[in-house]
Amino acid sequence: MNIEKIEKAHAKLMEFIHNTPLKHSHTFSQMVNCSLYLKYENQQKTGSFKVRGAYNKISTLLETSSPPAVIASSAGNHAQGVAFAASSLGIKSTIVMPKSTPIAKVAATEEYGAEIVLYGDCYDDAYNKAMELQQESGAVFIHPFDDEDVIAGQGTIGLEIFRDLPDVEVVIVPAGGGGLLAGVAYYMKQVNPKVKVIGVQSSGADAIVRSFYNAKYTETEKAITIADGIAVKKPGLLTMSLIQKYVDEIVTISDAEIAAAILLMLERDKQVVEPAGAASLAVVLNNRSDFAGKKVACVLSGGNIDVSFIHKIVEKGLVKRGRQLKLRTVMLDKPGSLEKFASIASKCGANIIMVQHDRTNADLHLNEAILHVIFEVSGPKHGNELIQALEQNGYRVTIE
């Protein structure tokens, strides 16, 4: 790897991809007490940064040979990047995707001209199947992260951040297999070693975190997270060698914190960002490092999220931010009891959005019922006021 490789990749990509913006966010900067900039790769062609590495790899192959076809494995974003790049360059592509891949990503990949094979429960299962098919067909395998040309393509994001914000002090990058983090970190440290590069993983898929802090390549048995774009059990060997050398810190973030960041992006920035893409912003919002007074750039790595999944994300985000509150209480099972309960909520300005009335629990007296209620409130303070009002009126309330 060398910096010229990344610069060459960028020169090729400028005729093919979108020049995504790096914008200062006044709203988020005020929230986190730093100068926060967002790199909108969710607006990239195919909706993700992955097209950068895929196009650079395939175009580099064509400089020295004429492969009859390419094959790849992906949870979705790399799939779309390879399919789009291959189609644009006149190459046939086959993509192996986990069965759990969001329908929208499968459909989009097919529309870009790829043949789709659904196999396994996660990226690693799909990867093993792709390697089998590659041996049978002779197609060239396009690795999603552990490849120097792919890493160079992803590293062009670092070049663009420096171009648009030369005095950047901290860059936060999502990491699954590590290609994006390795590429950006390598470029940053070549241009300005003082820039702090932070990687972020979901706490449910933290192989890179374990490898980084153990100083030993580590795999995980499971990769369970809503951030399917970074749900990887086995990081790359090449990517880990670069990450160990050039990344300063790697942190984890929970699914609930990611969901809250997605919701905040929808509400305050009017942007759709997928879970993996929102992980970098979640790091800042939840103070996972020292950002006070610094110029910080977050890479929003993608925006490919299944529309049918958004409502689940929104609900998780509302709960995390204290905008939804689920309570349980026992009341007398007689006419007027529910009306009394609802009137207290109404006086507090809380909106009831779901009620479940349970008379069958074995622990109840014959004249009692359990009430499960979901309230819409303005925030944690409002929720606490509601609970206090209910308790003052004799209800024993449990948060669920």
Side-chain angles (χ1 to χ4, degrees):
M1 177 66 71
N2 56 62
I3 197 168
E4 290 77 17
K5 201 173 185 72
I6 295 175
E7 292 170 345
K8 181 181 178 182
H10 192 258
K12 288 191 293 184
L13 286 168
M14 281 300 92
E15 298 180 1
F16 176 74
I17 65 169
H18 294 316
N19 183 16
T20 56
L22 177 71
K23 292 183 179 179
H24 179 261
S25 172
H26 180 73
T27 298
F28 293 139
S29 294
Q30 284 190 320
M31 287 182 182
V32 297
N33 193 31
C34 71
S35 186
L36 188 64
Y37 293 76
L38 302 176
K39 177 63 172 172
Y40 291 99
E41 280 296 290
N42 61 313
Q43 298 178 14
Q44 187 54 264
K45 283 187 178 179
T46 73
S48 164
F49 75 96
K50 286 285 191 177
V51 71
R52 294 173 181 263
Y55 185 87
N56 189 53
K57 175 62 179 179
I58 297 173
S59 62
T60 300
L61 283 172
L62 291 174
E63 291 173 1
T64 56
S65 63
S66 299
V70 295
I71 188 169
S73 56
S74 170
N77 288 336
H78 180 62
Q80 293 179 63
V82 170
F84 185 69
S87 178
S88 300
L89 293 166
I91 301 292
K92 179 184 176 182
S93 63
T94 299
I95 312 294
V96 185
M97 309 177 82
K99 293 178 181 178
S100 59
T101 302
I103 295 172
K105 292 185 178 182
V106 175
T109 305
E110 287 182 317
E111 289 172 4
Y112 289 135
E115 178 183 346
I116 305 299
V117 176
L118 295 176
Y119 185 86
D121 298 321
C122 66
Y123 163 76
D124 302 275
D125 295 336
Y127 169 79
N128 292 332
K129 184 64 174 178
M131 296 310 295
E132 290 180 17
L133 296 175
Q134 189 272 333
Q135 291 293 322
E136 296 171 5
S137 67
V140 176
F141 183 72
I142 309 298
H143 201 284
F145 46 82
D146 210 25
D147 178 279
E148 194 168 285
D149 293 319
V150 171
I151 294 170
Q154 322 305 28
T156 58
I157 290 178
L159 184 154
E160 291 176 12
I161 290 173
F162 258 127
R163 178 197 64 194
D164 298 338
L165 189 65
D167 55 347
V168 62
E169 295 174 87
V170 182
V171 179
I172 307 173
V173 186
L180 175 61
L181 178 58
V184 171
Y186 177 83
Y187 188 86
M188 289 289 169
K189 294 300 184 178
Q190 304 310 305
V191 177
N192 183 359
K194 293 182 180 180
V195 174
K196 185 175 183 180
V197 180
I198 300 175
V200 53
Q201 289 204 290
S202 164
S203 55
D206 62 348
I208 288 181
V209 174
R210 298 186 191 192
S211 299
F212 185 78
Y213 289 109
N214 293 336
K216 178 183 178 182
Y217 183 85
T218 305
E219 302 175 7
T220 57
E221 293 183 3
K222 298 179 180 179
I224 303 174
T225 173
I226 62 171
D228 57 283
I230 52 175
V232 177
K233 294 187 291 186
K234 299 178 182 179
L237 292 171
L238 176 57
T239 59
M240 276 312 309
S241 67
L242 292 168
I243 288 168
Q244 290 283 12
K245 189 172 182 179
Y246 297 109
V247 173
D248 297 284
E249 182 180 357
I250 305 181
V251 298
T252 59
I253 208 77
S254 71
D255 280 0
E257 289 166 331
I258 291 172
I262 292 172
L263 179 59
L264 203 57
M265 285 295 299
L266 285 168
E267 287 185 332
R268 306 301 294 271
D269 203 38
K270 316 308 177 190
Q271 292 284 323
V272 176
V273 181
E274 66 183 87
S280 58
L281 178 60
V283 170
V284 184
L285 295 175
N286 291 280
N287 300 307
R288 285 295 190 272
S289 190
D290 178 20
F291 305 113
K294 297 176 181 176
K295 285 192 174 182
V296 180
C298 290
V299 179
L300 307 177
S301 57
N304 292 319
I305 185 169
D306 196 323
V307 175
S308 65
F309 189 58
I310 289 179
H311 76 280
K312 297 179 183 179
I313 295 291
V314 170
E315 287 179 0
K316 277 185 174 290
L318 288 171
V319 171
K320 174 64 180 175
R321 292 171 57 196
R323 296 272 301 280
Q324 277 191 8
L325 185 64
K326 186 175 182 181
L327 301 179
R328 175 186 183 275
T329 191
V330 176
M331 64 170 55
L332 291 175
D333 187 16
K334 67 178 186 178
S337 294
L338 188 58
E339 180 183 6
K340 178 185 176 182
F341 181 89
S343 68
I344 296 169
S346 176
K347 290 176 183 177
C348 289
N351 185 33
I352 296 175
I353 58 178
M354 192 283 287
V355 175
Q356 181 184 1
H357 203 241
D358 180 9
R359 296 185 178 92
T360 63
N361 192 290
D363 295 330
L364 291 172
H365 294 296
L366 292 175
N367 64 341
E368 290 180 334
I370 295 176
L371 196 66
H372 303 273
V373 188
I374 298 179
F375 294 94
E376 183 180 37
V377 292
S378 62
K381 181 180 178 182
H382 189 193
N384 289 333
E385 291 171 353
L386 171 64
I387 291 171
Q388 290 174 10
L390 291 170
E391 290 177 340
Q392 287 169 3
N393 281 272
Y395 295 97
R396 288 186 297 175
V397 173
T398 303
I399 299 176
E400 295 187 309

